[in-house]
Amino acid sequence: MSIDLADLRKLPVSEKLRIVEALWDDIGASDEPIVLEPWQRDEAKRRSAELKADPSIAIDRAELWRRVNG
């Protein structure tokens, strides 16, 4: 399968986010192990700590789409 990144770049942000969401759901459903680079693991830990320190910064899916769609 070949994906033309130039075509993806032309999409509106809302459509790009829909694609990202579909990919994220597909990755989450996969049994394939996810191998992270050390910097990616560090960033995930930093974000997790930030969220634990201030849970009010989180938004749910409905809020995300409200912001995307304006």
Side-chain angles (χ1 to χ4, degrees):
M1 172 188 220
S2 177
I3 298 172
D4 187 346
L5 293 178
D7 287 340
L8 289 175
R9 287 186 179 104
K10 295 175 189 175
L11 294 172
V13 171
S14 61
E15 187 60 25
K16 290 176 185 175
L17 285 171
R18 288 189 202 333
I19 292 168
V20 168
E21 182 178 21
L23 289 170
W24 188 254
D25 289 346
D26 189 62
I27 291 168
S30 173
D31 291 333
E32 185 178 340
I34 297 172
V35 179
L36 298 177
E37 297 292 327
W39 71 266
Q40 292 168 316
R41 184 169 281 111
D42 292 344
E43 179 63 10
K45 288 178 183 177
R46 184 195 67 76
R47 291 181 185 199
S48 178
E50 183 179 37
L51 182 59
K52 286 178 185 174
D54 184 5
S56 70
I57 65 173
I59 61 171
D60 61 19
R61 185 179 290 196
E63 175 62 12
L64 168 71
W65 288 115
R66 188 192 68 71
R67 292 181 187 187
V68 168
N69 295 324

